Amino acid sequence: MESMSLIHIAISVVGVVAIIVAFKIEPVIALVLGGGYLGIATGQGFAGTTTEMVEGFGSVMTEIGLFIAFGVLLGALVEALGVPQRVAEGMLRIFGRRGLPYAHGLSLGVVLASVFADVLIVLSGPLTRHASSKLGKNGHGLLSGVAITGITAGLVFVVPGTALMAVVGILGIPIGTALLYALPLGIMAIVLTVAVYSTLIRLGLWDEERDESEVVGGAVGSEGASEGSSDGSSDGSSAGGGVATATRPTTSAPPLLLLSSPLIVAVGLMLTGAFLAVFEVEGPVTEALGNVSFALFVGVCLAYILARRYLGVDAVSTAVGNGMRTSGSILILTGVGGGFAALVNGSGVGDQLTEMFGSSGGAPILVAWVIAAILHAAVGSITLGAMTAVGILGPVVAAASPSGAMLLALAALAGALFGGLPNANGFWLFKSVYGLSVRGTLKTYTLGPSICSVVSLALILVVSAVV
């Protein structure tokens, strides 16, 4: 039965997408149906399939449920304070329409790389929606693809991105070496990918009517469902994606730095915790700083105080209510996506692929990239795909020079960017937060990082030819 696991996974993933796109079935129902087929077809049985789905849902909620809720609530409050609108206007003034996508991708991929990827997806949603409204037609598609490219590239190429740290830890590569090789590669890959993706958007890749969704996560209030991301208006008066009504303070506008302080404090706590962990500084304070949920809760409290001060009780209640409704729909869809991912892992496909590639020959860099790409597409995890690829190629890496080992590690990390599919719970989180249809999510969450993966491979091959 295991020999057919890859085929059954492919059938289930394609089936889920087809059910949603062709028959307009809600993603939650389609995911459960696809997961049910996968579990039964791969021999996990009815009871086992149900158990895996429930445990997968619970595992995702345990791991990321609380910080999704706090993250959405924080986003709702700072959006109500007008922060994303003002930041978007400032970015447009500084970088212009042409430079805005590059600045957005690099800020998410390089400056904020140490923030947990799912948190960054949640927090970047409001800013992306409002910034995209400044770019006119198809702006939301462009900046959504750029955003996820930056987020995932930071995960694999920028210290202390979790995938990069996991791989260099397994291989015993010094942090300084990883920084020297990976950071320039990540910056170049983001810039080139943004250029390629922007060209595809101009050539007609994006269809606002079919690729953007008027409902976020399938259950959003009617207030400003997605106007800020689709009609090209630049007044910033709509919340976009239904997170909250972006009501500006009625008095003279407070300093942007003050209104942004909840985000700055939350991200600052996460950055501090991440870097302390890199240098193995331990203790109760470090544990608190490294706790994502704690950092976000501190941000929520600060945002709540500022919103009460500048917006009033009624506006705050509206923002919190919208944020709670939105987080509920996101949590359900993301949790069911986690159940589907658990059924993929339960199919034994990881062991099967390890055996398949265990004795692979050929050019090591290309092999590392291909293995990681296939593993990511199959199991839905960038970090797991890269880690397994370098594990399979362990003997080759051990025999390589220090620079050769680093290039093999980078090849595996680059390959793990390729092929983000609906079997990843991040796919559904991104869809919900960014207000996209499944078609739109495939064109952004899947295509953007896949382009970055291929671009990165080309850069690594160039470096390997001269090192």
Side-chain angles (χ1 to χ4, degrees):
M1 186 70 70
E2 281 190 1
S3 62
M4 295 289 290
S5 294
L6 277 173
I7 295 175
H8 289 308
I9 290 172
I11 292 173
S12 61
V13 170
V14 172
V16 167
V17 174
I19 290 173
I20 295 171
V21 174
F23 299 103
K24 310 298 182 184
I25 302 297
E26 290 298 319
V28 169
I29 297 174
L31 279 169
V32 173
L33 291 174
Y37 162 80
L38 179 61
I40 300 298
T42 54
Q44 298 180 59
F46 180 81
T49 298
T50 304
T51 299
E52 285 288 349
M53 179 66 77
V54 172
E55 290 182 353
F57 186 101
S59 177
V60 169
M61 290 299 99
T62 299
E63 183 178 353
I64 66 175
L66 192 58
F67 72 60
I68 286 178
F70 285 154
V72 172
L73 191 56
L74 176 58
L77 288 168
V78 297
E79 192 167 7
L81 286 165
V83 172
Q85 300 93 312
R86 292 174 64 179
V87 171
E89 291 163 2
M91 290 176 66
L92 186 63
R93 285 195 303 271
I94 296 171
F95 301 105
R97 290 170 62 91
R98 288 186 177 273
L100 179 57
Y102 295 93
H104 194 49
L106 288 170
S107 64
L108 293 175
V110 178
V111 180
L112 299 175
S114 60
V115 179
F116 193 69
D118 289 344
V119 174
L120 203 48
I121 288 175
V122 173
L123 294 182
S124 65
L127 174 58
T128 300
R129 287 194 300 271
H130 287 288
S132 66
S133 71
K134 313 300 178 184
L135 299 180
K137 184 176 176 61
N138 300 328
H140 189 51
L142 171 59
L143 283 197
S144 295
V146 166
I148 193 59
T149 296
I151 291 170
T152 53
L155 184 69
V156 301
F157 292 135
V158 182
V159 176
T162 53
L164 176 62
M165 299 307 296
V167 167
V168 300
I170 290 173
L171 300 179
I173 296 173
I175 298 298
T177 302
L179 187 63
L180 177 65
Y181 279 82
L183 181 59
L185 175 65
I187 293 173
M188 291 183 65
I190 291 172
V191 170
L192 292 174
T193 301
V194 172
V196 172
Y197 195 81
S198 300
T199 301
L200 293 176
I201 293 292
R202 287 197 299 271
L203 292 175
L205 172 69
W206 198 253
D207 183 340
E208 288 185 343
E209 184 177 345
R210 303 178 69 185
D211 295 334
E212 297 177 26
S213 175
E214 291 187 357
V215 289
V216 176
V220 173
S222 58
E223 299 171 343
S226 61
E227 296 168 7
S229 63
S230 61
D231 66 1
S233 62
S234 59
D235 62 3
S237 61
S238 170
V243 174
T245 302
T247 305
R248 291 182 181 274
T250 54
T251 59
S252 58
L256 178 59
L257 183 62
L258 174 62
L259 297 182
S260 303
S261 60
L263 282 174
I264 295 171
V265 170
V267 172
L269 288 173
M270 286 184 275
L271 289 172
T272 303
F275 279 101
L276 289 176
V278 168
F279 294 103
E280 299 182 349
V281 178
E282 299 180 352
V285 175
T286 303
E287 291 178 2
L289 291 175
N291 189 293
V292 174
S293 296
F294 172 75
L296 289 172
F297 180 70
V298 171
V300 169
C301 291
L302 290 175
Y304 186 84
I305 292 171
L306 288 173
R308 284 287 296 263
R309 167 67 177 81
Y310 292 108
L311 300 180
V313 176
D314 292 340
V316 171
S317 297
T318 299
V320 171
N322 287 337
M324 294 293 285
R325 286 194 296 274
T326 302
S327 65
S329 62
I330 292 173
L331 287 169
I332 292 172
L333 187 55
T334 304
V336 173
F340 186 85
L343 289 165
V344 171
N345 292 330
S347 69
V349 68
D351 294 336
Q352 180 186 340
L353 289 171
T354 299
E355 294 175 4
M356 183 185 303
F357 289 106
S359 57
S360 296
I365 287 177
L366 289 175
V367 171
W369 186 89
V370 170
I371 293 173
I374 294 175
L375 284 166
H376 177 215
V379 303
S381 169
I382 291 176
T383 302
L384 182 59
M387 289 173 61
T388 305
V390 297
I392 291 172
L393 295 173
V396 178
V397 176
S401 64
S403 60
M406 189 66 228
L407 290 175
L408 284 170
L410 290 175
L413 289 161
L417 287 175
F418 192 89
L421 298 174
N423 57 324
N425 58 282
F427 181 97
W428 303 103
L429 175 63
F430 187 79
K431 173 190 180 300
S432 298
V433 172
Y434 276 67
L436 305 173
S437 67
V438 171
R439 279 171 48 99
T441 312
L442 288 169
K443 292 179 180 180
T444 51
Y445 183 92
T446 304
L447 181 59
S450 294
I451 294 172
C452 188
S453 175
V454 175
V455 168
S456 303
L457 174 62
L459 293 172
I460 292 168
L461 290 173
V462 170
V463 173
S464 68
V466 298
V467 172

